[in-house]
Amino acid sequence: MKRTRIAAALLATAALALPVAPATASPLDTLFGSASGSLDSGSAALGSSGGDKVTHYGKLGRPGAPNGIKSINVWVYTPDKTPAIVPNTYPKNSRLGVRWNSIIDAGPIVDGNECRMEVRLSGPKVPKQASLFKTQDCTAVKSYFFKGAGDFTIRVTDTISGASNSIAFSVQ
């Protein structure tokens, strides 16, 4: 009986000496770092539908993926601010591309290099060297110069989680 009390006292003393994480630290912060929308201040809202429920788009990532990516948001990227002729149709001789961010299941954006992204451009007369771009950036942009007309698709896939999404647009 006396040994039990001594052991209990030693355990209680040891528990008081354990370090405690700050109350503001999120368990996800230690895994992924900061989850901010660095490309534009409005991109964080696009990963969720407001409130507590998160909406994910595209092909969802595998549960338990090492980087935690659940989905990828994509948009047409116009670095030169080229206006669309009509929605999703742009003029020839324009620089266009894709802007993406990766979202974990809970909703925050992953803004780091924990991904293995493949960006695939398909359409008429796409040069082989432009058809596939690889990066580790979970949130980034990739642009191309479009001389000719046609219908194009850009697919962004994280090969670690399997999450992917695509955009389609036309050039006239």
Side-chain angles (χ1 to χ4, degrees):
M1 181 84 167
K2 188 173 187 179
R3 286 186 191 165
T4 306
R5 282 190 215 154
I6 293 172
L10 287 172
L11 286 174
T13 304
L16 292 175
L18 292 175
V20 178
T24 59
S26 163
L28 296 175
D29 288 344
T30 58
L31 291 175
F32 302 112
S34 174
S36 65
S38 64
L39 294 175
D40 77 341
S41 59
S43 63
L46 293 171
S48 67
S49 59
D52 294 334
K53 178 114 171 86
V54 176
T55 302
H56 295 280
Y57 299 97
K59 180 183 174 217
L60 301 183
R62 290 182 290 279
N67 61 4
I69 302 301
K70 178 74 171 195
S71 63
I72 301 170
N73 293 322
V74 296
W75 303 268
V76 171
Y77 174 61
T78 57
D80 301 333
K81 307 291 185 224
T82 303
I85 299 168
V86 295
N88 295 323
T89 303
Y90 298 87
K92 290 189 292 188
N93 298 315
S94 295
R95 181 160 287 284
L96 306 166
V98 63
R99 176 174 62 154
W100 72 89
N101 66 25
S102 301
I103 308 293
I104 62 173
D105 195 29
I109 295 171
V110 178
D111 192 13
N113 61 357
E114 297 88 5
C115 297
R116 202 173 316 137
M117 295 297 195
E118 291 185 352
V119 180
R120 294 184 182 277
L121 170 64
S122 60
K125 298 181 182 177
V126 172
K128 185 171 177 133
Q129 67 272 18
S131 65
L132 177 62
F133 171 76
K134 295 181 179 184
T135 182
Q136 292 182 346
D137 293 328
C138 297
T139 297
V141 299
K142 173 64 177 154
S143 66
Y144 308 88
F145 188 78
F146 291 87
K147 291 182 190 177
D151 295 327
F152 297 89
T153 301
I154 302 175
R155 175 165 296 282
V156 179
T157 303
D158 174 36
T159 61
I160 294 174
S161 68
S164 69
N165 206 344
S166 65
I167 56 168
F169 56 91
S170 297
V171 176
Q172 292 183 351

